[in-house]
Amino acid sequence: MLDIRRQSAEVRTGIVGTGFIGRIHARAVRQAGARLVGIAGVTMDSAVDGARSLGAEKAFESAEELIESGLVDVLHVCTPNHLHAPVALKALDAGLAVVCEKPLATDAPTAALMAARARDTGAVAAVPFVYRFHPMVREARALLTELGRVSLVQGSYLQDWLLKSTDDNWRVDPKRGGPGRTLGDIGSHWFDLVEFVTRDQVTRVCAQTSVVVADRVTSGPVLTEDLATVQFTTASGALGSVAVSQVAAGRKNRLFLEISAAGGSLAFDQEDPERLWLGGRTGSRSLVRDPMTLSPAAKPYSPLPAGHPQGFHDCFDAFVADTYAAIGGVRREGLPTFEDGERAARITDAVLQSVRDGGWVAC
């Protein structure tokens, strides 16, 4: 069974960014048994505070100083979106492995450049599409191979953290967050999960977006979408639809995915991640996570016995453990790479073009 607690005591890690997601990364780094050598923040004071609170050995004045220090093997990029590309590209050019938060870049051409640079350097370059690491997602992927042709993919990703005009964040600013806010932030997770579970690719999209909260307290007039609805087709001929929103009152982080195939249906709800719904013509049932009965693909990601709930932290720990295993030369199936980040960016760009042009767009 995969040990997500200690992958390597030799990997030396640096993190750029000291906010919420930087703390999540730092915890997973420690769980993997790596050394958290350095932290870089917006200012030296924030780096010092971050190093102290996250348990790093040293604070660095800038991302450049951390990259050029020669003290780290892998860099985790946890900055606002507009800084992902310059920091990650600099790290790749310095010979480092890179873990870069999603969206990989604020536009598809830049994401493609980053994916190409990772291929050219041969570096391990991963994107934390961590919902792939729920054991029941792995189980869904394995089961779907037995259900025949997929006909319909549907779902949603709903949050409410930007519901009010007093709710604000750098992501609302297109200069820092990019032109596709809700799509890049949470839509990217949903579409990545679709392509991972179905082993299929989204080929065309037709979309609508809406700004529900037109003015926010610090950002002023809002230029990026609060919600979107997207219809799509896949390479295999399946049809699909999704709604993504950051203004859905009462929904905190509800990623839902349902897939209908010739031999049955399945559904996964990220807010109830211990279960997978399985549907058939003669009845349906709920499959509960149990490492004693899970498929070989899912079992390594289920280190806790049945009845001991797993969640988001466990997914992140497994993602970082698999990334560090890859750095050590062991590649495990399903590690999301910069190529997957490029895919998500291409879908986001296609959705935004569809909104502008009012029709179907290839992606």
Side-chain angles (χ1 to χ4, degrees), residues 185-201:
D185 189 25
I186 59 177
S188 59
H189 272 300
W190 194 87
F191 279 108
D192 177 76
L193 210 59
V194 167
E195 295 196 339
F196 178 67
V197 172
T198 65
R199 306 172 198 253
D200 199 4
Q201 284 197 336

Side-chain angles (χ1 to χ4, degrees), residues 4 24 27 130-135 253 268 270-274 289 301-304 308-319:
I4 62 173
I24 299 294
R27 178 190 181 280
V130 296
Y131 298 124
R132 290 185 179 198
F133 292 85
H134 277 296
N253 198 49
F268 174 76
Q270 198 277 148
E271 290 188 342
D272 186 17
E274 294 283 277
R289 182 191 63 81
Y301 298 94
S302 185
L304 297 180
H308 297 72
Q310 292 183 210
F312 180 74
H313 273 311
D314 300 283
C315 290
F316 228 102
D317 293 346
F319 160 72

Side-chain angles (χ1 to χ4, degrees), residues 2 7 124 301 319-333 335:
L2 173 69
Q7 272 307 122
V124 173
Y301 298 94
F319 160 72
V320 171
D322 276 14
T323 302
Y324 286 12
I327 292 171
V330 179
R331 291 271 183 171
R332 297 194 175 105
E333 184 183 12
L335 180 67

Side-chain angles (χ1 to χ4, degrees), residues 164-179:
K164 299 181 179 180
S165 62
T166 51
D167 298 325
D168 214 349
N169 184 268
W170 58 261
R171 290 174 179 82
V172 177
D173 180 0
K175 293 180 180 178
R176 291 186 289 171

Side-chain angles (χ1 to χ4, degrees), residues 11-339:
V11 177
R12 302 172 302 166
T13 300
I15 297 177
V16 183
T18 59
F20 160 75
I21 202 63
R23 296 194 297 273
I24 299 294
H25 280 250
R27 178 190 181 280
V29 167
R30 291 193 297 270
Q31 288 293 102
R35 283 177 56 198
L36 183 49
V37 173
I39 297 289
V42 177
T43 65
M44 190 59 182
D45 286 344
S46 68
V48 169
D49 290 342
R52 184 182 302 114
S53 64
L54 301 181
E57 298 172 11
K58 185 177 180 181
F60 289 80
E61 192 164 4
S62 66
E64 290 76 13
E65 183 185 22
L66 177 55
I67 291 167
E68 295 167 3
S69 69
L71 298 176
V72 298
D73 305 304
V74 56
L75 189 75
H76 290 238
V77 182
C78 305
T79 65
N81 300 343
H82 72 297
L83 297 175
H84 288 179
V87 174
L89 289 169
K90 189 161 295 190
L92 289 170
D93 288 342
L96 301 183
V98 179
V99 176
C100 183
E101 266 298 333
K102 51 78 209 163
L104 184 58
T106 56
D107 61 80
T110 303
L113 172 66
M114 296 167 73
R117 190 72 56 84
R119 287 192 298 271
D120 291 344
T121 62
V124 173
V127 180
F129 287 129
V130 296
Y131 298 124
R132 290 185 179 198
F133 292 85
H134 277 296
M136 302 314 286
V137 166
R138 298 289 175 130
E139 191 73 0
R141 188 172 191 253
L143 287 170
L144 198 59
T145 62
E146 305 170 5
L147 296 181
R149 181 180 179 272
V150 172
S151 57
L152 180 65
V153 181
Q154 59 181 318
S156 60
Y157 197 158
L158 307 177
Q159 300 175 332
D160 72 354
W161 69 287
L162 288 172
L163 178 62
K164 299 181 179 180
S165 62
T166 51
D167 298 325
D168 214 349
N169 184 268
W170 58 261
R171 290 174 179 82
V172 177
D173 180 0
K175 293 180 180 178
R176 291 186 289 171
R181 185 229 312 165
T182 304
L183 292 161
D185 189 25
I186 59 177
S188 59
H189 272 300
W190 194 87
F191 279 108
D192 177 76
L193 210 59
V194 167
E195 295 196 339
F196 178 67
V197 172
T198 65
R199 306 172 198 253
D200 199 4
Q201 284 197 336
V202 174
T203 54
R204 293 194 311 149
V205 296
C206 184
Q208 301 178 89
T209 60
S210 177
V211 175
V212 177
V213 183
D215 289 282
R216 296 188 182 272
V217 56
T218 59
S219 296
V222 175
L223 301 176
T224 54
E225 79 285 351
D226 289 317
L227 63 86
T229 60
V230 186
Q231 291 180 285
F232 60 91
T233 60
T234 73
S236 71
L239 304 184
S241 65
V242 64
V244 293
S245 175
Q246 293 177 321
V247 293
R251 291 299 188 185
K252 303 306 176 185
N253 198 49
R254 209 250 180 166
L255 183 158
F256 177 76
L257 173 63
E258 182 167 329
I259 301 169
S260 301
S265 299
L266 55 82
F268 174 76
D269 183 348
Q270 198 277 148
E271 290 188 342
D272 186 17
E274 294 283 277
R275 301 175 185 273
L276 187 66
W277 177 82
L278 302 176
R281 181 69 178 269
T282 58
S284 61
R285 63 190 176 98
S286 182
L287 180 64
V288 179
R289 182 191 63 81
D290 184 345
M292 299 296 291
T293 58
L294 288 176
S295 68
K299 189 173 182 178
Y301 298 94
S302 185
L304 297 180
H308 297 72
Q310 292 183 210
F312 180 74
H313 273 311
D314 300 283
C315 290
F316 228 102
D317 293 346
F319 160 72
V320 171
D322 276 14
T323 302
Y324 286 12
I327 292 171
V330 179
R331 291 271 183 171
R332 297 194 175 105
E333 184 183 12
L335 180 67
T337 67
F338 274 23
E339 290 185 353

